Amino acid sequence: MPESWWGNAIFSLIPTIVLGLLFWMVLRYIIRGDRTARLEYDRIEAEERAKAGLPPKGTADASTPAASAAPGAQAAEGAPASTPAPDEPAR
């Protein structure tokens, strides 16, 4: 153990700094691994969707009309508030 004040301060901080760097490295590897796995999964999913003849993942959401996504959009357009069931005749 160092006898000087500066020696004690450095001797006390070195383990904290080393453990902090080790923790940072482990978290960095985990985050990078997760990002790489997600990119690989997205690539595989895009290939499988292409093989199945489906559109790419982002275009399926864009093809839905924006009016149907808003609540109360049918009432604002003048359409009836309730739609009949498939086996129920329309009025």
Side-chain angles (χ1 to χ4, degrees):
M1 294 281 279
E3 296 297 325
S4 70
W5 187 87
W6 285 108
N8 280 331
I10 291 172
F11 193 73
S12 299
L13 291 176
I14 286 177
T16 305
I17 292 170
V18 169
L19 285 176
L21 288 173
L22 184 65
F23 180 72
W24 174 75
M25 286 176 46
V26 167
L27 282 181
R28 183 175 181 224
Y29 289 137
I30 289 172
I31 291 171
R32 281 186 173 194
D34 180 59
R35 179 177 44 209
T36 304
R38 287 175 189 258
L39 289 173
E40 188 67 18
Y41 178 80
D42 288 343
R43 184 188 63 79
I44 291 170
E45 184 181 9
E47 287 177 4
E48 293 298 320
R49 289 181 70 88
K51 285 180 189 176
L54 297 171
K57 191 174 183 181
T59 60
D61 296 333
S63 65
T64 59
S68 65
Q74 288 181 344
E77 293 173 4
S82 63
T83 57
D87 58 339
E88 184 179 324
R91 295 180 204 171

Coordinates of all heavy atoms in Angstrom, one line a residue:
M1 N 0.8 -1.2 0.0 CA 0.0 0.0 0.0 C 0.9 1.2 0.0 O 1.8 1.3 0.8 CB -0.9 0.0 1.2 CG -1.9 -1.1 1.3 SD -3.4 -0.8 0.3 CE -4.3 0.3 1.4
P2 N 0.6 2.2 -0.9 CA 1.4 3.4 -0.9 C 1.1 4.3 0.4 O 0.0 4.2 0.9 CB 0.8 4.2 -2.1 CG 0.0 3.2 -2.9 CD -0.4 2.1 -2.0
E3 N 2.1 5.0 0.8 CA 2.0 5.8 2.0 C 1.7 7.2 1.7 O 1.2 7.9 2.6 CB 3.4 5.7 2.7 CG 3.7 4.3 3.2 CD 2.7 3.8 4.2 OE1 2.2 4.6 5.0 OE2 2.5 2.6 4.2
S4 N 1.9 7.7 0.5 CA 1.6 9.1 0.1 C 0.1 9.3 -0.2 O -0.6 8.3 -0.6 CB 2.4 9.6 -1.0 OG 2.0 9.0 -2.2
W5 N -0.4 10.5 -0.1 CA -1.8 10.8 -0.4 C -2.1 10.5 -1.9 O -3.1 9.9 -2.2 CB -2.1 12.3 -0.1 CG -3.5 12.6 -0.2 CD1 -4.5 12.5 0.8 CD2 -4.2 13.1 -1.3 NE1 -5.7 12.9 0.3 CE2 -5.6 13.3 -1.0 CE3 -3.8 13.5 -2.6 CZ2 -6.5 13.8 -1.9 CZ3 -4.7 13.9 -3.5 CH2 -6.1 14.1 -3.2
W6 N -1.2 11.0 -2.8 CA -1.5 10.7 -4.2 C -1.4 9.3 -4.6 O -2.2 8.8 -5.4 CB -0.4 11.5 -5.1 CG -0.8 13.0 -5.1 CD1 -0.1 14.0 -4.5 CD2 -1.8 13.6 -5.8 NE1 -0.7 15.2 -4.7 CE2 -1.8 15.0 -5.6 CE3 -2.8 13.1 -6.6 CZ2 -2.7 15.9 -6.1 CZ3 -3.8 14.0 -7.1 CH2 -3.7 15.4 -6.9
G7 N -0.5 8.5 -3.9 CA -0.4 7.1 -4.2 C -1.7 6.4 -3.7 O -2.2 5.5 -4.4
N8 N -2.2 6.8 -2.6 CA -3.5 6.2 -2.1 C -4.6 6.5 -3.0 O -5.5 5.7 -3.3 CB -3.8 6.7 -0.7 CG -3.0 5.9 0.4 OD1 -2.7 4.8 0.2 ND2 -2.8 6.6 1.5
A9 N -4.7 7.8 -3.5 CA -5.8 8.2 -4.4 C -5.7 7.4 -5.7 O -6.7 6.9 -6.2 CB -5.6 9.7 -4.7
I10 N -4.5 7.2 -6.3 CA -4.4 6.5 -7.5 C -4.7 5.0 -7.3 O -5.4 4.4 -8.1 CB -3.0 6.7 -8.1 CG1 -2.9 8.1 -8.6 CG2 -2.7 5.7 -9.3 CD1 -1.5 8.5 -9.1
F11 N -4.2 4.5 -6.2 CA -4.4 3.1 -5.9 C -5.9 2.8 -5.6 O -6.4 1.7 -5.9 CB -3.6 2.7 -4.6 CG -3.5 1.2 -4.3 CD1 -2.7 0.4 -5.1 CD2 -4.2 0.7 -3.3 CE1 -2.6 -0.9 -4.9 CE2 -4.1 -0.7 -3.0 CZ -3.3 -1.5 -3.8
S12 N -6.6 3.8 -5.2 CA -8.1 3.6 -4.9 C -8.9 3.7 -6.2 O -9.9 3.1 -6.4 CB -8.6 4.7 -4.0 OG -7.9 4.5 -2.7
L13 N -8.4 4.6 -7.1 CA -9.2 4.8 -8.4 C -9.0 3.8 -9.5 O -9.8 3.6 -10.3 CB -8.9 6.2 -8.9 CG -9.4 7.4 -8.1 CD1 -8.9 8.7 -8.7 CD2 -10.9 7.4 -7.9
I14 N -7.8 3.2 -9.5 CA -7.5 2.2 -10.6 C -8.5 1.1 -10.6 O -9.0 0.8 -11.7 CB -6.0 1.7 -10.4 CG1 -5.1 2.8 -10.9 CG2 -5.8 0.5 -11.3 CD1 -3.6 2.5 -10.7
P15 N -8.9 0.4 -9.5 CA -9.9 -0.7 -9.7 C -11.2 -0.2 -10.2 O -11.9 -0.9 -11.0 CB -10.0 -1.2 -8.2 CG -8.7 -0.8 -7.5 CD -8.3 0.5 -8.2
T16 N -11.6 1.0 -9.7 CA -12.9 1.6 -10.2 C -12.9 1.8 -11.7 O -13.8 1.5 -12.4 CB -13.2 2.9 -9.4 OG1 -13.2 2.6 -8.0 CG2 -14.6 3.4 -9.8
I17 N -11.8 2.4 -12.2 CA -11.6 2.7 -13.6 C -11.6 1.4 -14.4 O -12.2 1.3 -15.4 CB -10.4 3.6 -13.8 CG1 -10.6 5.0 -13.2 CG2 -10.1 3.7 -15.3 CD1 -9.4 5.8 -13.2
V18 N -10.8 0.4 -14.0 CA -10.7 -0.8 -14.7 C -12.1 -1.5 -14.8 O -12.5 -2.0 -15.8 CB -9.7 -1.7 -14.0 CG1 -9.7 -3.1 -14.6 CG2 -8.3 -1.2 -14.2
L19 N -12.8 -1.6 -13.6 CA -14.1 -2.2 -13.6 C -15.1 -1.4 -14.5 O -16.0 -2.0 -15.2 CB -14.7 -2.3 -12.2 CG -14.1 -3.5 -11.4 CD1 -14.6 -3.4 -10.0 CD2 -14.3 -4.8 -12.0
G20 N -15.0 -0.1 -14.5 CA -15.9 0.7 -15.4 C -15.6 0.4 -16.8 O -16.5 0.3 -17.6
L21 N -14.3 0.3 -17.2 CA -14.0 0.0 -18.6 C -14.5 -1.4 -19.0 O -15.0 -1.6 -20.1 CB -12.5 0.2 -18.8 CG -12.0 1.6 -18.8 CD1 -10.4 1.6 -18.9 CD2 -12.6 2.4 -20.0
L22 N -14.3 -2.3 -18.1 CA -14.8 -3.7 -18.3 C -16.3 -3.7 -18.5 O -16.8 -4.4 -19.5 CB -14.3 -4.6 -17.2 CG -14.7 -6.1 -17.4 CD1 -13.9 -6.7 -18.5 CD2 -14.3 -6.8 -16.1
F23 N -17.0 -3.0 -17.7 CA -18.5 -3.0 -17.8 C -18.9 -2.3 -19.1 O -19.8 -2.8 -19.8 CB -19.0 -2.2 -16.6 CG -20.5 -2.0 -16.6 CD1 -21.3 -3.1 -16.3 CD2 -21.1 -0.8 -16.9 CE1 -22.7 -3.0 -16.3 CE2 -22.5 -0.6 -16.9 CZ -23.3 -1.7 -16.6
W24 N -18.2 -1.2 -19.5 CA -18.5 -0.5 -20.7 C -18.2 -1.5 -21.9 O -19.1 -1.5 -22.9 CB -17.6 0.7 -20.8 CG -17.7 1.4 -22.2 CD1 -18.8 2.2 -22.6 CD2 -16.8 1.4 -23.2 NE1 -18.5 2.7 -23.8 CE2 -17.3 2.2 -24.3 CE3 -15.6 0.8 -23.4 CZ2 -16.6 2.4 -25.5 CZ3 -14.9 1.0 -24.6 CH2 -15.4 1.8 -25.6
M25 N -17.1 -2.2 -21.9 CA -16.8 -3.1 -23.0 C -17.9 -4.2 -23.1 O -18.3 -4.5 -24.2 CB -15.5 -3.7 -22.8 CG -14.3 -2.8 -23.1 SD -12.7 -3.4 -22.8 CE -12.7 -5.0 -23.6
V26 N -18.3 -4.8 -22.0 CA -19.3 -5.8 -22.0 C -20.6 -5.3 -22.6 O -21.2 -5.9 -23.5 CB -19.5 -6.5 -20.6 CG1 -20.7 -7.3 -20.6 CG2 -18.3 -7.2 -20.2
L27 N -21.1 -4.2 -22.1 CA -22.3 -3.6 -22.7 C -22.2 -3.2 -24.1 O -23.1 -3.4 -24.9 CB -22.7 -2.3 -21.9 CG -23.3 -2.6 -20.5 CD1 -23.7 -1.3 -19.8 CD2 -24.6 -3.4 -20.7
R28 N -21.0 -2.8 -24.5 CA -20.8 -2.4 -26.0 C -20.9 -3.7 -26.8 O -21.6 -3.7 -27.9 CB -19.5 -1.8 -26.1 CG -19.2 -1.3 -27.5 CD -17.8 -0.6 -27.5 NE -17.5 -0.1 -28.9 CZ -16.4 -0.2 -29.5 NH1 -15.4 -0.7 -28.8 NH2 -16.2 0.2 -30.7
Y29 N -20.3 -4.8 -26.4 CA -20.4 -6.0 -27.1 C -21.9 -6.6 -27.2 O -22.3 -7.1 -28.2 CB -19.5 -7.1 -26.6 CG -18.0 -6.8 -26.8 CD1 -17.1 -7.0 -25.9 CD2 -17.6 -6.3 -28.1 CE1 -15.7 -6.7 -26.1 CE2 -16.2 -6.1 -28.3 CZ -15.3 -6.3 -27.3 OH -14.0 -6.0 -27.6
I30 N -22.6 -6.4 -26.1 CA -24.0 -6.9 -26.1 C -24.8 -6.1 -27.0 O -25.6 -6.6 -27.8 CB -24.5 -6.8 -24.6 CG1 -23.9 -7.9 -23.8 CG2 -26.0 -7.0 -24.6 CD1 -24.2 -7.8 -22.3
I31 N -24.7 -4.8 -27.0 CA -25.5 -3.9 -27.9 C -25.1 -4.1 -29.3 O -26.0 -4.2 -30.2 CB -25.3 -2.4 -27.5 CG1 -26.0 -2.2 -26.1 CG2 -25.9 -1.5 -28.5 CD1 -25.7 -0.9 -25.5
R32 N -23.9 -4.2 -29.6 CA -23.5 -4.5 -31.0 C -24.0 -5.8 -31.5 O -24.4 -6.0 -32.6 CB -21.9 -4.4 -31.2 CG -21.4 -3.0 -31.2 CD -19.9 -3.1 -31.5 NE -19.5 -1.7 -31.8 CZ -18.3 -1.4 -32.3 NH1 -17.5 -2.4 -32.6 NH2 -17.9 -0.2 -32.5
G33 N -23.9 -6.8 -30.6 CA -24.4 -8.2 -31.0 C -25.9 -8.2 -31.2 O -26.4 -8.8 -32.2
D34 N -26.6 -7.4 -30.4 CA -28.1 -7.3 -30.6 C -28.4 -6.6 -31.9 O -29.2 -7.1 -32.7 CB -28.7 -6.6 -29.4 CG -30.2 -6.4 -29.6 OD1 -30.8 -7.5 -29.7 OD2 -30.7 -5.3 -29.6
R35 N -27.7 -5.5 -32.2 CA -27.9 -4.8 -33.5 C -27.6 -5.7 -34.7 O -28.4 -5.7 -35.6 CB -27.0 -3.6 -33.5 CG -27.2 -2.7 -34.8 CD -26.4 -1.5 -34.7 NE -25.0 -1.7 -34.2 CZ -24.4 -0.7 -33.6 NH1 -24.9 0.4 -33.4 NH2 -23.1 -1.0 -33.2
T36 N -26.5 -6.4 -34.6 CA -26.1 -7.3 -35.7 C -27.2 -8.4 -35.9 O -27.6 -8.8 -37.0 CB -24.8 -7.9 -35.5 OG1 -23.8 -6.9 -35.3 CG2 -24.3 -8.8 -36.6
A37 N -27.7 -9.0 -34.8 CA -28.7 -10.1 -34.9 C -30.0 -9.5 -35.5 O -30.6 -10.2 -36.3 CB -28.9 -10.6 -33.5
R38 N -30.4 -8.3 -35.1 CA -31.6 -7.7 -35.6 C -31.4 -7.5 -37.1 O -32.4 -7.7 -37.9 CB -31.9 -6.4 -34.9 CG -32.5 -6.7 -33.5 CD -32.7 -5.3 -32.8 NE -33.0 -5.5 -31.4 CZ -34.2 -5.4 -30.9 NH1 -35.2 -5.1 -31.7 NH2 -34.4 -5.6 -29.6
L39 N -30.3 -7.0 -37.5 CA -30.1 -6.7 -39.0 C -30.1 -8.0 -39.8 O -30.7 -8.1 -40.8 CB -28.8 -6.0 -39.2 CG -28.7 -4.5 -38.8 CD1 -27.3 -4.0 -38.9 CD2 -29.7 -3.7 -39.6
E40 N -29.5 -9.1 -39.2 CA -29.5 -10.4 -39.9 C -30.9 -10.9 -39.9 O -31.3 -11.5 -40.9 CB -28.6 -11.3 -39.1 CG -28.3 -12.6 -39.8 CD -27.6 -12.5 -41.1 OE1 -26.9 -11.5 -41.3 OE2 -27.6 -13.4 -41.9
Y41 N -31.7 -10.8 -38.8 CA -33.0 -11.3 -38.8 C -33.9 -10.5 -39.9 O -34.7 -11.2 -40.6 CB -33.7 -11.1 -37.4 CG -35.1 -11.5 -37.4 CD1 -35.4 -12.9 -37.2 CD2 -36.1 -10.6 -37.4 CE1 -36.7 -13.3 -37.2 CE2 -37.4 -11.0 -37.4 CZ -37.7 -12.3 -37.2 OH -39.1 -12.7 -37.2
D42 N -33.7 -9.2 -40.0 CA -34.5 -8.5 -41.0 C -34.1 -8.9 -42.4 O -35.0 -8.9 -43.3 CB -34.2 -7.0 -40.8 CG -34.9 -6.4 -39.5 OD1 -35.8 -7.1 -39.0 OD2 -34.5 -5.3 -39.1
R43 N -32.8 -9.2 -42.6 CA -32.4 -9.6 -43.9 C -33.0 -11.0 -44.3 O -33.6 -11.1 -45.4 CB -30.9 -9.7 -44.0 CG -30.3 -10.1 -45.4 CD -28.8 -10.3 -45.3 NE -28.5 -11.5 -44.5 CZ -28.6 -12.8 -44.9 NH1 -29.1 -13.1 -46.1 NH2 -28.2 -13.7 -44.1
I44 N -33.0 -11.9 -43.3 CA -33.6 -13.2 -43.6 C -35.1 -13.1 -43.8 O -35.7 -13.7 -44.7 CB -33.3 -14.1 -42.4 CG1 -31.8 -14.5 -42.4 CG2 -34.1 -15.4 -42.5 CD1 -31.3 -15.2 -41.1
E45 N -35.8 -12.2 -43.0 CA -37.2 -12.0 -43.1 C -37.5 -11.5 -44.5 O -38.5 -11.9 -45.1 CB -37.7 -11.1 -42.0 CG -39.2 -11.0 -42.1 CD -39.8 -10.1 -41.0 OE1 -39.0 -9.4 -40.3 OE2 -41.0 -10.0 -40.9
A46 N -36.7 -10.5 -45.0 CA -37.0 -9.9 -46.3 C -36.8 -11.0 -47.4 O -37.6 -11.0 -48.4 CB -36.0 -8.8 -46.5
E47 N -35.8 -11.8 -47.3 CA -35.6 -12.9 -48.2 C -36.8 -13.9 -48.2 O -37.3 -14.3 -49.3 CB -34.3 -13.7 -47.9 CG -33.0 -13.0 -48.2 CD -31.8 -13.8 -47.8 OE1 -32.0 -14.9 -47.4 OE2 -30.7 -13.3 -48.0
E48 N -37.3 -14.2 -47.1 CA -38.4 -15.2 -47.0 C -39.7 -14.5 -47.5 O -40.5 -15.2 -48.2 CB -38.6 -15.6 -45.5 CG -37.5 -16.5 -45.0 CD -37.3 -17.8 -45.8 OE1 -38.3 -18.4 -46.2 OE2 -36.2 -18.2 -46.0
R49 N -39.9 -13.2 -47.2 CA -41.1 -12.5 -47.8 C -41.0 -12.5 -49.3 O -42.0 -12.6 -50.0 CB -41.2 -11.1 -47.2 CG -41.6 -11.1 -45.7 CD -41.7 -9.7 -45.2 NE -42.9 -9.0 -45.8 CZ -44.1 -9.1 -45.2 NH1 -44.3 -9.8 -44.2 NH2 -45.1 -8.4 -45.8
A50 N -39.8 -12.3 -49.9 CA -39.6 -12.3 -51.3 C -39.9 -13.6 -51.9 O -40.5 -13.8 -53.0 CB -38.2 -11.8 -51.7
K51 N -39.4 -14.7 -51.2 CA -39.7 -16.1 -51.7 C -41.2 -16.4 -51.7 O -41.7 -17.1 -52.6 CB -39.0 -17.1 -50.8 CG -37.5 -17.2 -51.1 CD -36.9 -18.2 -50.1 CE -35.4 -18.2 -50.1 NZ -34.8 -19.2 -49.2
A52 N -41.9 -15.9 -50.7 CA -43.3 -16.1 -50.6 C -44.2 -15.2 -51.5 O -45.4 -15.4 -51.6 CB -43.8 -16.0 -49.1
G53 N -43.5 -14.2 -52.1 CA -44.3 -13.3 -53.0 C -45.0 -12.2 -52.2 O -45.9 -11.6 -52.8
L54 N -44.6 -11.9 -51.0 CA -45.2 -10.9 -50.2 C -44.5 -9.6 -50.4 O -43.3 -9.6 -50.8 CB -45.2 -11.2 -48.7 CG -45.9 -12.5 -48.3 CD1 -45.6 -12.9 -46.9 CD2 -47.4 -12.3 -48.5
P55 N -45.1 -8.4 -50.2 CA -44.4 -7.2 -50.4 C -43.4 -7.0 -49.2 O -43.6 -7.6 -48.2 CB -45.6 -6.1 -50.3 CG -46.6 -6.8 -49.5 CD -46.5 -8.3 -49.9
P56 N -42.5 -6.1 -49.4 CA -41.5 -5.8 -48.3 C -42.3 -5.3 -47.1 O -43.4 -4.8 -47.2 CB -40.6 -4.7 -48.9 CG -40.7 -4.9 -50.3 CD -42.1 -5.4 -50.6
K57 N -41.7 -5.5 -45.9 CA -42.3 -5.2 -44.6 C -42.8 -3.8 -44.5 O -43.9 -3.6 -44.0 CB -41.4 -5.5 -43.5 CG -42.0 -5.5 -42.1 CD -41.0 -6.0 -41.1 CE -41.6 -6.1 -39.8 NZ -40.6 -6.5 -38.8
G58 N -42.1 -2.8 -45.0 CA -42.5 -1.4 -44.8 C -43.7 -1.0 -45.7 O -44.4 -0.1 -45.4
T59 N -43.9 -1.6 -46.8 CA -44.9 -1.2 -47.8 C -46.3 -1.7 -47.4 O -47.3 -1.2 -47.8 CB -44.6 -1.7 -49.2 OG1 -44.5 -3.1 -49.2 CG2 -43.3 -1.1 -49.7
A60 N -46.4 -2.7 -46.6 CA -47.7 -3.3 -46.2 C -48.5 -2.3 -45.3 O -49.7 -2.1 -45.5 CB -47.5 -4.6 -45.4
D61 N -47.8 -1.5 -44.5 CA -48.4 -0.5 -43.7 C -48.9 0.7 -44.5 O -49.9 1.3 -44.2 CB -47.5 -0.1 -42.5 CG -47.2 -1.2 -41.6 OD1 -48.1 -2.2 -41.5 OD2 -46.2 -1.2 -40.9
A62 N -48.1 1.0 -45.5 CA -48.4 2.2 -46.3 C -49.6 2.0 -47.2 O -50.2 3.0 -47.6 CB -47.1 2.6 -47.1
S63 N -49.9 0.8 -47.5 CA -51.0 0.5 -48.4 C -52.4 0.7 -47.8 O -53.4 0.8 -48.5 CB -50.9 -0.9 -49.0 OG -51.1 -1.8 -48.0
T64 N -52.5 0.7 -46.5 CA -53.8 0.9 -45.8 C -54.2 2.4 -45.9 O -53.3 3.2 -45.7 CB -53.7 0.5 -44.3 OG1 -52.7 1.2 -43.7 CG2 -53.4 -1.0 -44.2
P65 N -55.4 2.6 -46.1 CA -55.9 4.0 -46.2 C -55.7 4.7 -44.8 O -56.0 4.2 -43.8 CB -57.3 4.0 -46.6 CG -57.7 2.6 -46.4 CD -56.5 1.7 -46.4
A66 N -55.3 6.0 -44.9 CA -55.1 6.7 -43.6 C -56.4 7.1 -43.0 O -56.5 7.2 -41.7 CB -54.3 8.0 -43.9
A67 N -57.5 7.2 -43.7 CA -58.8 7.5 -43.1 C -59.3 6.5 -42.2 O -59.9 6.7 -41.2 CB -59.8 7.8 -44.2
S68 N -59.0 5.2 -42.5 CA -59.5 4.1 -41.7 C -58.7 4.0 -40.4 O -59.2 3.4 -39.4 CB -59.5 2.8 -42.4 OG -58.2 2.4 -42.7
A69 N -57.5 4.6 -40.3 CA -56.7 4.5 -39.1 C -57.2 5.5 -38.1 O -57.0 5.3 -36.9 CB -55.2 4.7 -39.5
A70 N -57.8 6.6 -38.5 CA -58.2 7.6 -37.5 C -59.5 7.2 -36.9 O -60.4 6.7 -37.6 CB -58.3 8.9 -38.2
P71 N -59.6 7.3 -35.6 CA -60.9 7.0 -34.9 C -62.0 8.0 -35.3 O -61.8 9.2 -35.4 CB -60.6 7.1 -33.4 CG -59.3 7.8 -33.3 CD -58.6 7.7 -34.6
G72 N -63.2 7.5 -35.6 CA -64.3 8.3 -36.0 C -64.2 8.8 -37.4 O -64.9 9.7 -37.8
A73 N -63.3 8.2 -38.2 CA -63.2 8.7 -39.6 C -64.4 8.3 -40.4 O -64.8 9.1 -41.3 CB -61.9 8.0 -40.2
Q74 N -65.1 7.2 -40.2 CA -66.2 6.9 -40.9 C -67.4 7.8 -40.7 O -68.1 8.2 -41.6 CB -66.7 5.4 -40.6 CG -65.8 4.4 -41.1 CD -66.3 3.0 -40.8 OE1 -67.1 2.8 -39.9 NE2 -65.7 2.0 -41.5
A75 N -67.6 8.2 -39.4 CA -68.6 9.2 -39.1 C -68.4 10.5 -39.8 O -69.3 11.2 -40.2 CB -68.8 9.3 -37.6
A76 N -67.1 10.9 -39.8 CA -66.8 12.2 -40.4 C -67.0 12.2 -42.0 O -67.3 13.2 -42.6 CB -65.4 12.6 -40.1
E77 N -66.9 11.0 -42.6 CA -67.1 10.9 -44.0 C -68.5 10.8 -44.4 O -68.9 10.8 -45.6 CB -66.3 9.7 -44.5 CG -64.8 9.8 -44.4 CD -64.1 8.6 -44.8 OE1 -64.8 7.6 -45.2 OE2 -62.9 8.5 -44.7
G78 N -69.4 10.6 -43.4 CA -70.8 10.4 -43.7 C -71.2 9.0 -43.9 O -72.4 8.7 -44.2
A79 N -70.3 8.0 -43.7 CA -70.7 6.6 -43.7 C -71.4 6.2 -42.5 O -71.3 6.9 -41.4 CB -69.4 5.8 -43.9
P80 N -72.2 5.1 -42.5 CA -72.8 4.7 -41.3 C -71.8 4.3 -40.2 O -70.8 3.8 -40.5 CB -73.7 3.5 -41.7 CG -73.1 3.1 -43.1 CD -72.4 4.3 -43.7
A81 N -72.2 4.6 -39.0 CA -71.3 4.4 -37.9 C -71.1 2.9 -37.6 O -70.0 2.5 -37.2 CB -71.9 5.0 -36.6
S82 N -72.1 2.1 -37.9 CA -71.9 0.6 -37.7 C -72.1 -0.1 -39.0 O -72.9 0.2 -39.8 CB -72.9 0.1 -36.7 OG -74.2 0.3 -37.2
T83 N -71.2 -1.0 -39.3 CA -71.3 -1.8 -40.5 C -72.0 -3.1 -40.2 O -71.9 -3.7 -39.1 CB -69.9 -2.1 -41.1 OG1 -69.2 -2.8 -40.1 CG2 -69.2 -0.8 -41.5
P84 N -72.8 -3.6 -41.1 CA -73.6 -4.8 -40.8 C -72.6 -6.0 -40.9 O -71.6 -6.0 -41.5 CB -74.6 -4.9 -42.0 CG -74.0 -4.1 -43.1 CD -73.2 -3.0 -42.4
A85 N -73.0 -7.1 -40.1 CA -72.2 -8.3 -40.1 C -72.3 -8.9 -41.5 O -73.3 -8.7 -42.3 CB -72.8 -9.2 -39.1
P86 N -71.4 -9.8 -41.9 CA -71.4 -10.4 -43.2 C -72.7 -11.2 -43.5 O -73.2 -11.2 -44.6 CB -70.2 -11.4 -43.2 CG -69.3 -10.9 -42.1 CD -70.2 -10.2 -41.1
D87 N -73.3 -11.8 -42.5 CA -74.5 -12.6 -42.8 C -75.8 -11.7 -42.6 O -76.9 -12.2 -42.9 CB -74.6 -13.8 -41.9 CG -74.6 -13.4 -40.4 OD1 -74.1 -12.3 -40.1 OD2 -75.0 -14.2 -39.6
E88 N -75.7 -10.5 -42.2 CA -76.8 -9.6 -42.0 C -77.0 -8.7 -43.2 O -76.0 -8.2 -43.8 CB -76.5 -8.7 -40.8 CG -77.6 -7.8 -40.4 CD -77.3 -7.0 -39.2 OE1 -76.6 -7.5 -38.3 OE2 -77.7 -5.8 -39.1
P89 N -78.2 -8.6 -43.8 CA -78.4 -7.8 -45.0 C -78.2 -6.3 -44.7 O -78.5 -5.9 -43.6 CB -79.9 -8.1 -45.4 CG -80.5 -8.6 -44.1 CD -79.4 -9.2 -43.3
A90 N -77.7 -5.6 -45.6 CA -77.5 -4.2 -45.5 C -78.9 -3.5 -45.6 O -79.8 -3.9 -46.4 CB -76.6 -3.7 -46.6
R91 N -79.0 -2.4 -44.9 CA -80.3 -1.6 -45.0 C -80.3 -0.5 -46.0 O -79.4 0.1 -46.3 CB -80.6 -1.0 -43.6 CG -80.8 -2.1 -42.6 CD -81.1 -1.5 -41.3 NE -80.7 -2.5 -40.3 CZ -80.7 -2.2 -39.0 NH1 -81.0 -1.1 -38.5 NH2 -80.4 -3.2 -38.2

